[in-house]
Amino acid sequence: MRSGRRFTAVIQLGIRRVLGRLTITASTRVLLSAAGVALAVMLMTTVSGVALGLATQGTVQSDDVDYWIVPDDNGKSTAALAVGGAQLGDVHSTAAQLQTDERIEFATPVQLRVVNLQNKATGTEEYVLAIGVIPQHESNSIAGLPLRGMTPGDPYYANGSYNGQWTGEAILSDAAAELLGVSRNDELTIRSGGTTRELQALNVSQADLSSGAGPIPVVVLHLSELQAVAGGTDADLADQILVSTDDARLKPHLEQLVPGTTVVSRSGVSSPDLSTSDLSLAVGLTAFVTAIVVGVLFVGTMMGLEVMADRNELAVLAAIGYSSRSRAVLVLTETVTVSLVGGIVGVGLGGLGMVLFNQFATQYFGVESVAAFSPFLLLYGVLVALLIGLIAAPYPILVSQRTSVSEVLG
Amino acid sequence: MKTNTPSRVAEKRSDSTASPQPLVSCQNVTRQYTRGKKSVLRQRKATQTVTALDDVSLAIDRGEFVGIAGPSGSGKSTLLHLVAGLDTPTRGLLSIDGTDVTTLSAKQRTRLRLETIGIIFQHFYLLSALSARANVAIPLVERGWSKRKRRERATTLLTTVGLDDRITHKPSELSGGEQQRVAIARALATEPDLLIADEPTGELDTATGGSILDLFEELSTDHAVIMASHDERALARTDRVIRLQDGKLIADA
């Protein structure tokens, strides 16, 4: 009890000493230590935000979607997968089955294909990202594009015969419409793999999808119609199934319902996980390692010097009966506190850095939101600062333990 | 100036006769230091042994106010550091409160200082970032006292040394005399039997130094107080003066 209380009090003493030196005596070394960590964490937070932005930009997101059902990497083991590809098979029936669950508001397979789209009136053609879905309600949206006006369901699918009514309904993103010079009700031609079909622009809206090079041109159409053009009618293929629900307990049920798949939620780390590129991971990892190395070297050196300058007070503590362990805890606390103060400042500056980075990218490169902010970045920055403090602490502790009381106070 | 009449000293010593042994006992204590280090590359020793304290024997009882005098380099600080448990003798026996210090580990000596000894320095050495009360309470942190008890004890001690209106002041906001009073209060925090003061009035003006010596006189009724000083006027206030020269004890009266 006394030992625990003693160490708690020593930790409090360390924090008070650091805050006192930061505010009252304004120790240059302590301020520099905190500034060093702040700089390292700021850069790491900003770069991690960019990495997060890169990781999430390739993912189809919808405000209505709470879960993505995606194939496992070793998807050959699942019955739900089509043979030879990491795609989900028989998706119309799976989606229909999901739709019968009262807890699910909206479920649709999603197929993503790059297709050639042509403005019939002008002959302008461009490659765009086609998203095949099964709309259910007027309020549904995919990738930020409202599906308002699309015929509910998937008429052309016709229970797998693919000979139902061809609606040709297409919703274009601003970027796609601008590229093609298309406006509402204009006629389009879609081509992929030698197949050509007719579409009509039902609506033009702003989409959420963008890449590092700017907004992605997107066209949304019925799933079966995209399958008919781009392939996938044989096994009723789609890349993923989006499920919108309010029930947080639904995830295990979905995993059970579609075995051999991974169910990821919209929150958390699902977005980076869905990225097909390792670039963001590499960027994030490099930023992490750089921040740790720079932070540890900075804090270790400056706190070592601070302990040297502070050896009178440490010697007094030893003289009045502070044990080596208590003094080590004190120096550890001070080092970690300095690092945490720097980390908190650095996270704040990192958030500001992301805003400035995005503004810079928009102004000079015409790219929107390169860096993505997540509350997890705040926690991440503070945890990295804590780690920096813990790794850097042994050196100042060693310096403090070498202090000779007789020599210092002699 | 207080006169050290034999009757007064005898009276104070008789008060402490309840203890069968002196609080501090040095028997033929010698402390030598080795200067210089063996050269790693040349494998040649370039060392010199210096005797800082040479065959010193003395005893100090509870209730005594003892002065240690001598010129610079006479061994005053060495003797104080040995008695304070900051150092160990090269030869001889040194016991504090019946404990043979020479056999203690560094950790045990640290514990001894915390429980038995209060140290007061010439340069005060208060922690600059903390208030007067927090400075006084520092030893109690290591003793594991609760925050409430620490605050109460520190407030009481600061009141005792006449600083009840300076409790929340930082060291930089206090005069030299006030800082030394805070240092004395800190030394008293753990209720030590032995108070050791190294030139406690060295940085104070005469009037302030006098008030500090008054405080030591009061404290010496309950504690053994050892004070090293160059100042003969300060030494005259003590019960007994131990004089050192070249590491040897030349007078104890």
Side-chain angles (χ1 to χ4, degrees), chain A residues 1-3 5-7 9-10 12-13 16-21 24-25 312-313 315-327 405-410, chain B residues 77 81 84 86-87 107 110-111 113-114 117 119 121 124-131 134 137-147 149-150 170 172 186 198:
Chain A
M1 171 90 175
R2 276 203 162 192
S3 180
R5 191 191 289 157
R6 174 159 63 104
F7 282 115
V10 169
Q12 289 171 344
L13 176 63
R16 285 181 68 179
R17 265 164 51 91
V18 167
L19 296 180
R21 274 181 279 175
I24 299 167
T25 57
N312 282 350
E313 292 193 357
V316 166
L317 291 177
I320 63 179
Y322 270 57
S323 65
S324 296
R325 188 185 295 181
S326 291
R327 282 178 283 136
V405 180
S406 292
E407 284 178 18
V408 173
L409 302 178
Chain B
S77 293
H81 286 177
L86 294 171
D87 199 0
K107 186 178 178 181
T110 303
R111 195 69 196 171
R113 290 198 296 275
L114 182 67
I117 303 167
I119 306 176
F121 305 96
F124 324 132
Y125 289 132
L126 301 178
L127 272 60
S128 55
L130 305 183
S131 67
I138 279 174
L140 304 175
V141 168
E142 185 66 6
R143 290 287 290 266
W145 284 34
S146 70
K147 187 176 181 179
K149 279 188 170 181
R150 292 199 308 263
K170 298 282 189 299
S172 59
R186 181 179 65 187
D198 189 3

Side-chain angles (χ1 to χ4, degrees), chain A residues 227-354:
Chain A
Q227 288 173 330
V229 175
T233 54
D234 289 348
D236 190 15
L237 299 177
D239 297 297
Q240 55 187 271
I241 296 174
L242 307 184
V243 179
S244 175
T245 178
D246 292 331
D247 194 334
R249 296 164 300 178
L250 197 63
K251 187 177 177 183
H253 173 68
L254 294 175
E255 286 168 341
Q256 196 175 11
L257 186 68
V258 195
T261 57
T262 302
V263 178
V264 290
S265 62
R266 180 170 52 188
S267 59
V269 295
S270 57
S271 297
D273 284 350
L274 284 174
S275 173
T276 56
S277 170
D278 289 336
L279 175 65
S280 54
L281 179 65
V283 169
L285 198 60
T286 305
F288 170 78
V289 172
T290 307
I292 292 286
V293 171
V294 171
V296 166
L297 289 176
F298 218 98
V299 173
T301 306
M302 298 314 293
M303 287 306 288
L305 291 171
E306 178 65 16
V307 166
M308 285 292 288
D310 190 42
R311 62 187 187 279
N312 282 350
E313 292 193 357
L314 290 170
V316 166
L317 291 177
I320 63 179
Y322 270 57
S323 65
S324 296
R325 188 185 295 181
S326 291
R327 282 178 283 136
V329 169
L330 187 73
V331 175
L332 172 70
T333 303
E334 291 179 356
T335 308
V336 169
T337 303
V338 166
S339 195
L340 280 176
V341 167
I344 290 166
V345 173
V347 162
L349 292 174
L352 187 64
M354 274 189 267

Side-chain angles (χ1 to χ4, degrees), chain B residues 99-117:
Chain B
T99 305
D100 183 0
V101 176
T102 58
T103 62
L104 297 181
S105 66
K107 186 178 178 181
Q108 288 170 322
R109 281 190 282 120
T110 303
R111 195 69 196 171
L112 178 76
R113 290 198 296 275
L114 182 67
E115 292 176 348
T116 311
I117 303 167

Side-chain angles (χ1 to χ4, degrees), chain B residues 77-232:
Chain B
S77 293
T78 303
L79 180 59
L80 281 188
H81 286 177
L82 289 172
V83 174
L86 294 171
D87 199 0
T88 51
T90 310
R91 284 193 300 274
L93 291 175
L94 170 61
S95 70
I96 297 169
D97 200 16
T99 305
D100 183 0
V101 176
T102 58
T103 62
L104 297 181
S105 66
K107 186 178 178 181
Q108 288 170 322
R109 281 190 282 120
T110 303
R111 195 69 196 171
L112 178 76
R113 290 198 296 275
L114 182 67
E115 292 176 348
T116 311
I117 303 167
I119 306 176
I120 299 146
F121 305 96
Q122 178 181 357
H123 305 297
F124 324 132
Y125 289 132
L126 301 178
L127 272 60
S128 55
L130 305 183
S131 67
R133 181 167 57 195
N135 265 288
V136 174
I138 279 174
L140 304 175
V141 168
E142 185 66 6
R143 290 287 290 266
W145 284 34
S146 70
K147 187 176 181 179
R148 185 179 57 80
K149 279 188 170 181
R150 292 199 308 263
R151 289 170 70 98
E152 283 176 4
R153 173 80 176 146
T155 304
T156 303
L157 286 168
L158 284 170
T159 305
T160 303
V161 297
L163 291 177
D164 48 327
D165 57 341
R166 294 282 192 273
I167 283 171
T168 57
H169 286 56
K170 298 282 189 299
S172 59
E173 298 165 338
L174 300 173
S175 68
E178 288 172 332
Q179 288 189 55
Q180 193 59 290
R181 284 171 184 272
V182 174
I184 292 169
R186 181 179 65 187
L188 292 169
T190 56
E191 297 182 320
D193 291 324
L194 175 61
L195 279 175
I196 294 173
D198 189 3
E199 300 276 4
T201 58
E203 294 205 347
L204 305 176
D205 60 59
T206 307
T208 310
S211 69
I212 294 295
L213 291 169
D214 290 342
L215 198 55
F216 279 137
E217 277 186 0
E218 287 175 32
L219 292 170
S220 67
T221 57
D222 301 320
H223 309 75
V225 180
I226 304 174
M227 178 183 74
S229 180
H230 283 105
D231 185 354
E232 287 298 330

Side-chain angles (χ1 to χ4, degrees), chain A residues 2-248:
Chain A
R2 276 203 162 192
S3 180
R5 191 191 289 157
R6 174 159 63 104
F7 282 115
T8 305
V10 169
I11 289 167
Q12 289 171 344
L13 176 63
I15 294 170
R16 285 181 68 179
R17 265 164 51 91
V18 167
L19 296 180
R21 274 181 279 175
L22 282 170
T23 54
I24 299 167
T25 57
S27 163
T28 309
R29 286 171 295 274
V30 174
L31 287 170
L32 276 176
S33 297
V37 176
L39 184 68
V41 171
M42 180 196 79
L43 290 174
M44 186 202 67
T45 308
T46 305
V47 174
S48 297
V50 172
L52 188 62
L54 287 173
T56 55
Q57 278 163 356
T59 305
V60 176
Q61 294 182 60
S62 163
D63 286 343
D64 296 325
V65 178
D66 295 303
Y67 292 104
W68 292 283
I69 302 173
V70 296
D72 279 341
D73 289 340
N74 56 349
K76 287 177 183 171
S77 64
T78 170
L81 291 172
V83 175
Q87 284 190 292
L88 299 168
D90 199 17
V91 291
H92 277 85
S93 65
T94 304
Q97 193 180 347
L98 288 170
Q99 203 66 58
T100 59
D101 194 320
E102 290 181 353
R103 295 170 296 178
I104 295 173
E105 295 170 10
F106 171 48
T108 176
V110 175
Q111 189 178 37
L112 303 169
R113 288 290 180 272
V114 176
V115 297
N116 180 276
L117 206 59
Q118 184 184 43
N119 183 339
K120 276 186 78 174
T122 63
T124 308
E125 56 183 270
E126 288 289 346
Y127 283 92
V128 302
L129 178 67
I131 304 176
V133 298
I134 305 175
Q136 300 293 337
H137 309 289
E138 290 272 319
S139 59
N140 297 151
S141 66
I142 294 290
L145 285 171
L147 305 183
R148 190 172 51 253
M150 286 185 81
T151 305
D154 195 3
Y156 183 70
Y157 177 66
N159 293 323
S161 63
Y162 290 92
N163 62 4
Q165 183 198 350
W166 181 270
T167 67
E169 293 167 349
I171 292 178
L172 279 80
S173 68
D174 282 343
E178 191 177 340
L179 280 171
L180 293 162
V182 170
S183 56
R184 195 175 174 184
N185 295 327
D186 282 355
E187 293 192 341
L188 303 157
T189 302
I190 183 170
R191 290 194 191 89
S192 179
T195 306
T196 303
R197 299 299 292 256
E198 305 298 318
L199 298 176
Q200 185 176 33
L202 205 61
N203 269 315
V204 174
S205 299
Q206 190 172 1
D208 291 339
L209 277 180
S210 63
S211 71
I216 296 174
V218 174
V219 59
V220 178
L221 58 158
H222 283 94
L223 174 65
S224 62
E225 295 177 11
L226 180 59
Q227 288 173 330
V229 175
T233 54
D234 289 348
D236 190 15
L237 299 177
D239 297 297
Q240 55 187 271
I241 296 174
L242 307 184
V243 179
S244 175
T245 178
D246 292 331
D247 194 334

